[in-house]
Amino acid sequence: MNIGILLVAFGTSYTDAQKAYENIEVKVRKLYHDIEIRWAYTSNLIRKKIKSEGQQMDSPAEALSKFAADGYTHIAVQSLHVIPGIEYETLVETVNAFKQMPKNAEVTLLGEPLLFHHKDMVETAKAIKSIISANGGKDEAVVFMGHGTHHQSNVFYAGFQYYLNQHSKSWLLGTVEGFPELEEIITEMKSQKLKSVNLMPFMSVAGDHAQNDMGSDEEDSWKSQLEAEGFKVNITMKGLAEYDEIIQIWIKHLQKVMKKLEQ
Ligand code: CO
């Protein structure tokens, strides 16, 4: 048995944001120091962009082929996505397709994204709690910017709000490309008479959306819109993958898969 681990993220072209991924790799390597660990990005656009900048990153399909060609027989694929959205669904399809492929690894198993089962939501909400108290944001609203999607799994954002509410009613999760939008968040903040807000990304890395759509001084950024509504805005420019408490949840999913592989 020759085991390999494939860490799969959406990807980012921001060098600073890539640090978050490196953080994950360090943690995984600590647990599985004698196992080959490789990366793949699911975003075609990001892979193209970083290629034009002289960097090379495989797609999940490319990485799985290379693993097989290099003689690996058992592959643990770990999704580093936040919700089981379109990127995860495509990864499921890729992994399933490889199961059918001749001369491929004997066993390929996939680990779930951050939010999947009820238990993940509970643990992620708890992790968020420790992150927020570490950031000293106790008395202010915390607004998270999630990505959002047209995929049916967009309900995970509204669903996760329920778990956040168990800790605080003033922790609010909105999305850039789905529902709820900032408009709903602002309405909620006004009804709670909140005056100041700590704005944080609810994405693996603080990449393009966090830097531009969330925290920039551009007129339509969340920061600018919130300030225009009279809120005092504080920015925490750190992706979820920069917090050990969150990484632990992805790692637990990987450990589950590794246990099955080693059986
Ligand atoms: Co996007």
Side-chain angles (χ1 to χ4, degrees):
M1 184 158 48
N2 199 357
I3 300 178
I5 292 175
L6 182 62
L7 300 174
V8 182
F10 177 77
T12 180
S13 55
Y14 275 70
T15 322
D16 272 356
Q18 284 169 352
K19 275 184 215 145
Y21 291 152
E22 284 161 27
N23 203 13
I24 297 177
E25 186 172 326
V26 168
K27 298 279 180 325
V28 174
R29 207 168 284 286
K30 223 177 198 173
L31 270 176
Y32 302 108
H33 41 86
D34 49 0
I35 289 177
E36 173 80 0
I37 299 163
R38 295 181 185 177
W39 281 87
Y41 285 178
T42 53
S43 168
N44 294 339
L45 205 80
I46 302 269
R47 287 199 317 278
K48 232 185 234 170
K49 194 169 174 210
I50 60 175
K51 197 176 176 182
S52 73
E53 290 157 2
Q55 258 182 307
Q56 125 73 29
M57 179 56 72
D58 285 338
S59 70
E62 286 165 338
L64 286 172
S65 314
K66 286 182 188 171
F67 258 133
D70 294 342
Y72 289 87
T73 58
H74 293 66
I75 315 294
V77 181
Q78 178 55 49
S79 154
L80 299 173
H81 302 104
V82 176
I83 58 160
I86 191 71
E87 299 296 319
Y88 179 72
E89 195 173 283
T90 311
L91 186 57
V92 171
E93 283 166 12
T94 304
V95 167
N96 286 342
F98 266 82
K99 286 178 182 166
Q100 312 292 318
M101 202 162 322
K103 297 193 177 180
N104 182 38
E106 286 164 40
V107 187
T108 309
L109 293 176
L110 176 59
E112 294 141 359
L114 183 68
L115 302 178
F116 201 75
H117 295 291
H118 164 71
K119 197 169 162 259
D120 303 324
M121 316 276 175
V122 172
E123 285 178 5
T124 304
K126 259 190 211 156
I128 295 279
K129 190 184 181 179
S130 64
I131 289 165
I132 288 172
S133 49
N135 280 303
K138 256 183 189 166
D139 302 317
E140 61 188 346
V142 180
V143 169
F144 294 97
M145 178 192 256
H147 193 277
T149 174
H150 299 293
H151 187 267
Q152 67 270 15
S153 65
N154 190 70
V155 293
F156 270 76
Y157 295 102
F160 187 63
Q161 180 66 59
Y162 185 94
Y163 293 83
L164 288 175
N165 283 354
Q166 319 254 294
H167 298 283
S168 171
K169 294 265 182 282
S170 59
W171 299 350
L172 303 165
L173 173 58
T175 67
V176 220
E177 290 177 21
F179 174 87
E181 291 182 50
L182 182 62
E183 208 184 316
E184 280 87 23
I185 302 297
I186 288 175
T187 306
E188 181 59 28
M189 286 176 71
K190 284 181 178 168
S191 83
Q192 290 190 34
K193 299 192 167 46
L194 299 163
K195 302 273 181 263
S196 73
V197 48
N198 185 8
L199 196 50
M200 300 169 69
F202 192 76
M203 298 179 223
S204 304
V205 296
D208 193 46
H209 286 301
Q211 305 284 345
N212 295 312
D213 303 323
M214 191 191 85
S216 76
D217 291 324
E218 281 163 43
E219 204 183 332
D220 56 352
S221 76
W222 282 25
K223 175 178 178 266
S224 301
Q225 289 186 61
L226 284 162
E227 283 173 346
E229 293 282 347
F231 297 105
K232 189 178 165 288
V233 182
N234 179 41
I235 307 273
T236 304
M237 194 56 77
K238 264 176 100 174
L240 292 174
E242 288 181 72
Y243 300 102
D244 292 354
E245 298 92 328
I246 300 280
I247 295 178
Q248 273 326 306
I249 300 166
W250 274 305
I251 285 190
K252 267 190 201 167
H253 294 175
L254 172 63
Q255 284 175 304
K256 209 165 81 180
V257 166
M258 288 296 281
K259 253 188 208 150
K260 270 192 214 164
L261 271 191
E262 285 163 338
Q263 265 168 18

